[in-house]
Each structure stands twice: as structure tokens, then as C-alpha cells.
Amino acid sequence: MTDLFGGAAPYYAKYRAGYGDPAIEHLAMTFGRDSTALDLGCGPGTIAIPLARSVREVLAVDPDGEMLAEGRRLAGNAPNIRWIHGDSTRLRELPAFDHIVMGRSFHWMDRRAVLAELDELLPPGGVVALVGPSRDPQEEPWEPAMRRVRDEFEVNTFTASNSYQASGEHHDDVLATSPFADLDATRYEHRLVYDLEAVIGLQLSYSYTAPARLGDRIESFREAARKALLALNPAGRWEQVAVTEVLIARRPND
């Protein structure tokens, strides 16, 4: 998965929606101001940057150098974020941390292996936090058109060993049989508005339609997406109520 998001970092930073202030505040209150939080699979800092305002330090870890570079640029002079090249197979190489948060990255990992290792690495009281769509997310309003375009370009999702894509097993169910089986979920809603360019840019932030994967077909993909989206909605404007779930997983005896 070396080039999983090759070329996607600028699109990810610009077009991926944040999780909303209430979700970040939830994490900050759970972790505590004096904590060091690991954001594993941080991307361009979607969680790390706002969370850093409310904790002692954030270890922002990602395997993609372009994502880390984009995060550094967006964070500016934030003194308490350490941007680290790494992934879920190298947790023992990282500085010590009190809690871990993962956004959409957890679904790429060997989830059971990661949770077993975190049980050894996290101190007593350390939590595993997942932030992302709810268990049954609503389909995005442009998805019928984009699904046809992806089929036309024959792009499909990647899979990872014991990942959500490979097994179809939801994160909740994996956590329920892990050392972190004490679960508490809270949902937050926020309204999002997208224009045509934002929807197309969003597609280029995904692994299966990242610029590196499309290669010299990127302009053809843009044009096909534009035509399909305008055929679906000539106004070229979409509204969506996004639901973000913050799932806090603790050891039952902590």
C-alpha cells in the first residue's frame, strides 16, 4: 500500500470535511489536557491539528510523506505536534503515549493485531478512540453518479489483512472482542455544502481514485465526473447532514 494515497494529500486537506468542533472537544475532554495522544493514520492533521490545542502533545503518525508534509504546512508553528513517518506495524518504535485516536485509518489495518499490541503499550486508563461515520452511514447524494464513473474507469477499493474491507466486520464488533471492550459511542451532526469542484476534489482524495492511481487518466476522470454529476444535478450543489461518531473504547477493568 505504498502509494495508497499518492498525490491525494492536497485534495484530502482541502476537500475532506473535518469532524466538527463537538467531536474534537469530546476527544479533548476524554484524553485530558496533560495527555499525549497518538493520532495514528493522521493524514494532513484533520484530528491532530485541532486536538493539539487541548492536550499536551500529539504524535501525528502516517505512512504517507505527502500527507505529513501537508499537515506540517497546515499546522504552521504548532509547537506540540510531532509529525512522524510510521504506521500500525511499527507502534513499538514510537514515543510513549497515553491515548490513541484513529479517524478513517483504522479500517485499513489488521485491527485485532493492532488492538492486542495497544493493550501492551497503553498505560492503565488509556483509551482507544475512533472518529468517523456512524455504523450505518447515509449514502452521499452524488454517489449514484460517481459509482458509474468508477465502474467506467475500473477502480476498486484496496483491501488489507483483517481490515473492514477484507472481512466486512464492523469496528464495534472487533472492539467488543478485544481488550478494549467497554464501548461508549456519541454521535454529532453537522451540515455540509459542496459545489461541483468540491465533489470532484473529494473523489481525488480517496485511495481508489487518488491521482497516482488514475495516472494520465486524471483529466479524463475529472471530465467524466463533471458530466455525470451535472446530469444528476444540473445546479451543481449538494447539501448533506454528516453524522460523526466518536467511539471511546476502554479496558473493562480500567
Side-chain angles (χ1 to χ4, degrees), residues 8-36:
Y11 299 100
Y12 201 116
K14 184 174 182 177
Y15 296 112
R16 290 276 187 119
Y19 295 111
D21 291 341
I24 300 299
E25 290 167 7
H26 188 138
L27 291 174
M29 290 181 63
T30 300
F31 293 169
R33 182 162 289 279
D34 196 40
S35 65
T36 294

Side-chain angles (χ1 to χ4, degrees), residues 2 32 63 68 71 109 115 182 213 218-219 245:
T2 304
L68 293 172
M109 303 175 191
L115 292 169
D182 183 357
R213 189 156 196 221
I218 187 169
E219 292 306 322
E245 180 177 84

Side-chain angles (χ1 to χ4, degrees), residues 14-254:
K14 184 174 182 177
Y15 296 112
R16 290 276 187 119
Y19 295 111
D21 291 341
I24 300 299
E25 290 167 7
H26 188 138
L27 291 174
M29 290 181 63
T30 300
F31 293 169
R33 182 162 289 279
D34 196 40
S35 65
T36 294
L38 167 61
D39 181 4
L40 184 59
C42 64
T46 309
I47 294 174
I49 293 172
L51 180 61
R53 304 180 191 121
S54 302
V55 297
R56 180 162 51 87
E57 185 177 35
V58 176
L59 308 178
V61 176
D62 202 275
D64 189 309
E66 293 178 348
M67 289 288 186
L68 293 172
E70 193 68 19
R72 289 189 188 94
R73 183 185 70 80
L74 293 171
N77 296 321
N80 63 332
I81 304 177
R82 276 197 267 179
W83 301 94
I84 301 172
H85 188 268
D87 59 38
S88 61
T89 68
R90 296 158 59 188
L91 293 175
R92 295 181 187 277
E93 300 174 16
L94 299 174
F97 50 92
D98 300 304
H99 308 286
I100 181 172
V101 60
M102 291 169 278
R104 298 172 185 268
S105 60
F106 192 49
H107 64 262
W108 293 110
M109 303 175 191
D110 185 337
R111 295 172 293 172
R112 283 193 167 81
V114 168
L115 292 169
E117 193 161 18
L118 287 172
D119 188 32
E120 299 179 22
L121 295 175
L122 281 171
V127 306
V128 176
L130 302 182
V131 184
S134 60
R135 187 180 183 103
D136 299 304
Q138 185 178 11
E139 184 174 85
E140 293 167 328
W142 52 79
E143 178 58 17
M146 289 312 308
R147 188 182 298 118
R148 291 192 294 272
V149 175
R150 291 197 303 272
D151 287 344
E152 177 187 342
F153 280 75
E154 298 181 330
V155 286
N156 302 297
T157 58
F158 291 94
T159 59
S161 174
N162 198 26
S163 66
Y164 178 70
Q165 292 96 330
S167 69
E169 189 175 15
H170 197 271
H171 296 336
D172 300 38
D173 302 322
V174 173
L175 283 163
T177 58
S178 80
F180 302 91
D182 183 357
L183 307 181
D184 180 67
T186 306
R187 296 184 180 188
Y188 300 97
E189 293 186 356
H190 53 290
R191 180 174 167 271
L192 302 173
V193 179
Y194 293 85
D195 62 15
L196 182 63
E197 291 308 311
V199 174
I200 295 173
L202 188 62
Q203 310 312 305
L204 297 174
S205 79
Y206 295 138
S207 59
Y208 41 86
T209 43
R213 189 156 196 221
L214 289 168
D216 59 8
R217 300 185 299 163
I218 187 169
E219 292 306 322
S220 298
F221 177 83
R222 284 181 183 271
E223 186 58 30
R226 185 183 302 276
K227 289 180 179 178
L229 289 166
L230 288 176
L232 176 70
N233 179 5
R237 184 178 184 275
W238 291 263
E239 295 187 14
Q240 179 188 20
V241 176
V243 178
T244 294
E245 180 177 84
V246 179
L247 180 63
I248 303 297
R250 295 179 171 88
R251 300 181 183 94
N253 296 324
D254 277 350

